[in-house]
Amino acid sequence: MMKRNGLGMLAAVLGLTVALPAVAAEADKRQVNQQQRIKQGVKSGELTGREAVRLERQHRAVQREIRQDRRDDGHLDAAERARIDAKQDALSRRIARQKHDGQSR
C-alpha cells in the first residue's frame, strides 16, 4: 500500500513539473498572439497610429511583468499567472475595442 501511494505522489509531482512550463508558455503564446493582432490592426487600418502606440506600450508592460516574475524565482506561481492572465484579458479586450471602434487611419 505504501509503495502504491509513493508512486502516486511521484506521478503527481512529475505531472505538475511538466505542466508548469506549459502553463507559463501559455502566457508567452498569448503575448505573441496579441502582438500579431496589434500589427494586423495597423496593417488593415483598424487601428490608428495613436491607438497602436498605446496598445504596444501596454503590451510591453505585461511582457516586462512576466519577465520580472520569472526572474524572481525562475517560474510563474499560481498567483502570478492569475494576475498576468487578468492583465492579458484586459489588454485583449482593449485591442478588440480599439479595432472595432470605427476609427481608421
Side-chain angles (χ1 to χ4, degrees), residues 31-82:
Q31 285 296 101
V32 169
N33 179 291
Q34 289 179 351
Q35 178 66 40
Q36 290 171 342
R37 289 174 57 207
I38 294 168
K39 285 182 181 180
Q40 184 277 329
V42 170
K43 186 176 179 180
S44 70
E46 293 175 305
L47 291 175
T48 65
R50 182 178 231 151
E51 290 170 337
V53 168
R54 187 178 316 114
L55 292 169
E56 286 284 347
R57 188 177 323 118
Q58 294 166 357
H59 179 263
R60 282 192 308 274
V62 173
Q63 281 183 313
R64 271 193 305 275
E65 190 167 339
I66 292 170
R67 275 195 310 270
Q68 182 61 44
D69 288 346
R70 283 188 178 146
R71 203 173 304 137
D72 292 342
D73 58 4
H75 69 282
L76 299 175
D77 62 29
E80 291 167 336
R81 281 193 310 272

